[in-house]
Amino acid sequence: MTDDQLLDLARTAAAKAYAPYSNFHVGCAIESVDGEVVTGANMENACYRLGVCAEQSALSAAQHKFGLDKVASIAVVGGADATVCTPCGGCRQAILEAAQLSGRNVEILCGSGDGSAVERHTIGELIPFGFGPGNLEPTGGTSAS
Ligand code: THU
């Protein structure tokens, strides 16, 4: 799948966001090493702190469809203007989990809501010196589920 196709899927997913409180719609598409794709969108809650980010929604779908250790690339699109949407800190940590399981420096395409801008980052850039399953050997980093 091309970068543009993955970004388009993230954009389509953003249209399904449930974000009545922030009105900030985020979509995420994740492609596996075998070309399978899952998507997710943010899902807010009247108890604000219970909201779920688009990336974590998509990662949960990835866990079930092909396993976190098969995550190859991720596209995130959010907002409505020209500002690219980069994953929040919590989502970076969740992506780091998949990255360390797979041993891959997962690529993240970050798109703006208006479609005018895209930035490409690796998880290593977004969360340098991160703490992940590799820090918990031998219990961590050995399983995708
Ligand atoms: N949000 C995401 O879904 N992913 C991010 O990485 C950044 C923030 C959501 C959470 C909340 O529903 C809304 O965007 C505003 O913060």
Side-chain angles (χ1 to χ4, degrees), residues 22 24 26 42 44 53-55 86-88 91:
S22 72
F24 193 86
V26 185
N42 53 332
E44 298 182 347
C53 285
E55 296 92 322
T86 51
C88 75
C91 289

Side-chain angles (χ1 to χ4, degrees), residues 69-80:
D69 60 330
K70 296 267 182 13
V71 169
S73 45
I74 298 178
V76 183
V77 172

Side-chain angles (χ1 to χ4, degrees), residues 1-21:
M1 179 167 293
T2 66
D3 289 357
D4 282 346
Q5 286 172 325
L6 200 63
L7 282 160
D8 276 352
L9 288 175
R11 201 173 305 286
T12 301
K16 295 180 186 165
Y18 174 69
Y21 306 108

Side-chain angles (χ1 to χ4, degrees), residues 1-144:
M1 179 167 293
T2 66
D3 289 357
D4 282 346
Q5 286 172 325
L6 200 63
L7 282 160
D8 276 352
L9 288 175
R11 201 173 305 286
T12 301
K16 295 180 186 165
Y18 174 69
Y21 306 108
S22 72
N23 203 30
F24 193 86
H25 295 217
V26 185
C28 177
I30 300 179
E31 185 174 19
S32 78
V33 286
D34 301 315
E36 292 182 288
V37 179
V38 291
T39 60
N42 53 332
M43 182 180 69
E44 298 182 347
N45 191 279
C47 181
Y48 294 169
R49 69 182 179 83
L50 296 182
V52 177
C53 285
E55 296 92 322
Q56 299 200 39
S57 167
L59 281 166
S60 182
Q63 176 193 349
H64 289 272
K65 185 153 190 189
F66 45 75
L68 294 177
D69 60 330
K70 296 267 182 13
V71 169
S73 45
I74 298 178
V76 183
V77 172
D81 62 15
T83 309
V84 296
C85 182
T86 51
C88 75
C91 289
R92 294 177 194 203
Q93 180 72 30
I95 295 167
L96 180 69
E97 187 82 15
Q100 288 197 359
L101 285 178
S102 68
R104 230 172 268 114
N105 196 8
V106 171
E107 291 230 343
I108 303 148
L109 298 164
C110 306
S112 64
D114 71 358
S116 68
V118 176
E119 279 177 12
R120 178 192 293 273
H121 296 289
T122 64
I123 190 60
E125 290 167 358
L126 293 183
I127 186 163
F129 309 107
F131 181 93
N135 294 91
L136 297 175
E137 297 290 359
T139 51
T142 56
S143 166

